[in-house]
Amino acid sequence: METLRATGWVFELPDSSVPFYYFYTLFDFGNTDWRAVVKAIPTMLGLAFFSILHVPINVPALAVSTNADKIDTNRELLAHGISNLLSGCMGSFQNYLVYSNSVLFIRSGGGSNLAGMMLCATTLAVFLSGPAIIGYIPTMVVGALIFHLGLELVKESLFDTIGVVNRIEYATIVAIVVAMATIGFNEGIFIGILMACFFFILLYSRRPALRKAYTGSAVRSTVRRLYSQRRFLDEVCKQIQVMRLQGFMFFGTINGVEAYIRNLLEQRQWHANPIRFLVLDFALVNGMDFSAAEAFIRIRRLLESREIYMVICGAERVSEVGRALRAAGVWSDDECEYVQTSPSLNEALEWCENVLLQYYYLHQAALAGTEMPQSYSIVSTPQPNEVDVYGSSPRHAMVSEATQSAMPASHDHTPASQTGELAPAFPLLHQAFLDLDSSQSASETLAFIAPHFVRKQLPAEECLWRVGSAADAMYITESGTLRVFVENGNGESEAIESILPGTSLGELAVITGRNHSTTVISDGSVVMWELSKKTYEELCTREPAKTLAFRKE
């Protein structure tokens, strides 16, 4: 052994009298060269960064190599952080998961908890036995292990990645390997970070921030409205332009969004499809920098000059996107009504439709002299006597034509056979159904069924029916709003529809005899008129012809 040690085949035998804790006695802050410590700070930071970065890379790769389907990267990061903290406090090395060594250990039968505990016990025994064991380790074994690890790392980084990563990523890997081999470890990490940032901007700017764009003709709110209102909205909902944005918005992606909006406002496009609302859906946007927020300032000014409402939805006030937009002044406030915010796309569309209906009733008042409903006084508009009913712009012309087309035909609401006073529910039934059929026979049918409706008041947050319950009545709403809910896959209730006054509900379940597929809850106090299923069945027996005529309505 002495000959082997003398010739360098085996490590020198340390002093056997040195205890395992000897290196702790060497710590002396008085002899510490703090300038050397300061110079080593970049290396420390590089090792810390590398230690954090290797976990989300090596752990999933090890799971794939060992056919492990369930991994918890967060748990692995916590375990590495705690172990490195304890190791640092004890003056030892950092914890690092060497992928090749771990694969070799597991494939050699060390995949169980027992093998891990045996490895831990052996390492502890070697540590407690002191450095004497080093004198019996061949130098070629250590050299071969280091050489094997080096070749394995070169193979994994330069050869195994061919065809797996794209050319830009592979160029970054080669640059990091060359820089670490020729310049230094920290310089290689720094160059890799710079190249990764540059290529991220280059690649991400090629991905469009505009996921999809469509008009209100393709998507509508889930509000149940009167037939005349639906007919009017069918004609003018093209004035609603929806843009669904996605990804991280910065100077490389916002230009495409701004160019698309400017194209919408070009003269030729404007006459073909004039818009009154631009709905920007940020639900799929995960971040925004200041340059993108500044671009929305320019977009806001451009839209306001054309009297177009910017409706922002899908962005919470306290979110990163919400904070960026508020810092840039692109948020709803009391100073400018041309910027509105809504929690969701459905509520944004509902607001746009309500404003269009405000113009509907405004033109109706100008044409027929009727009064405007107070519930549709949402934005600033001229008085009815100041409205240009013939349309001085493409938008006004479209609204005027749609209003004249959707206005209910003027006819006598009183049935010919009705000699006494009409039932209280008749006006509501007439409003809900007579837009569909304004004939005299339809009025007779509604006059027949109206006395059997009973007035009912529902307090706020009261459940009218629940999903799966049997249908026991049909209803006509007089005032207030009802919300329709369905259960999603997570067992939570989600609002899918709003029911406004003057509309009916529950009639299909009563007629078909099926259970309710939704849950209906009042949004505030609601007044409605109820026709019970028992009464309906009695009418079917007593007056089948008239009841059948009502079903056809």
Side-chain angles (χ1 to χ4, degrees), residues 8 83 117 125 127 145 161 214 282 308 377 431 443 465 514 520:
S83 62
M117 289 187 288
F127 174 72
L145 178 61
T161 54
Y214 40 76
F282 289 89
I308 299 174
S377 297
Q431 184 183 30
S443 297
W465 69 64
R514 296 180 178 178
V520 178

Side-chain angles (χ1 to χ4, degrees), residues 14 37 70 78 88 110 121 134 161 178 219 262 279 310 362 385 422 431 448 450 484 513 551:
V37 173
K70 186 177 181 180
L78 289 174
I134 298 177
T161 54
V178 173
V219 58
R262 291 185 181 277
V279 181
M310 175 190 285
L362 179 67
N385 57 359
L422 291 173
Q431 184 183 30
F448 156 72
V484 182
R551 287 179 57 177

Side-chain angles (χ1 to χ4, degrees), residues 237-259:
C237 61
K238 292 184 292 184
Q239 295 190 10
I240 303 174
Q241 180 73 34
V242 180
M243 296 176 61
R244 304 200 68 180
L245 307 177
Q246 65 177 355
F248 184 83
M249 305 198 70
F250 64 108
F251 58 88
T253 58
I254 191 62
N255 292 332
V257 176
E258 189 172 1

Side-chain angles (χ1 to χ4, degrees), residues 64-117:
V64 173
S65 300
T66 57
N67 297 322
D69 297 326
K70 186 177 181 180
I71 59 170
D72 189 347
T73 306
N74 184 57
R75 180 182 176 186
E76 296 292 338
L77 284 169
L78 289 174
H80 276 72
I82 294 172
S83 62
N84 279 325
L85 179 63
L86 296 176
S87 179
C89 292
M90 298 298 293
S92 185
F93 303 103
Q94 72 175 53
N95 179 18
Y96 179 79
L97 190 151
V98 182
Y99 169 75
S100 56
N101 288 5
S102 301
V103 172
L104 179 63
F105 179 73
I106 293 174
R107 289 178 179 176
S108 300
S112 62
N113 292 334
L114 177 60
M117 289 187 288

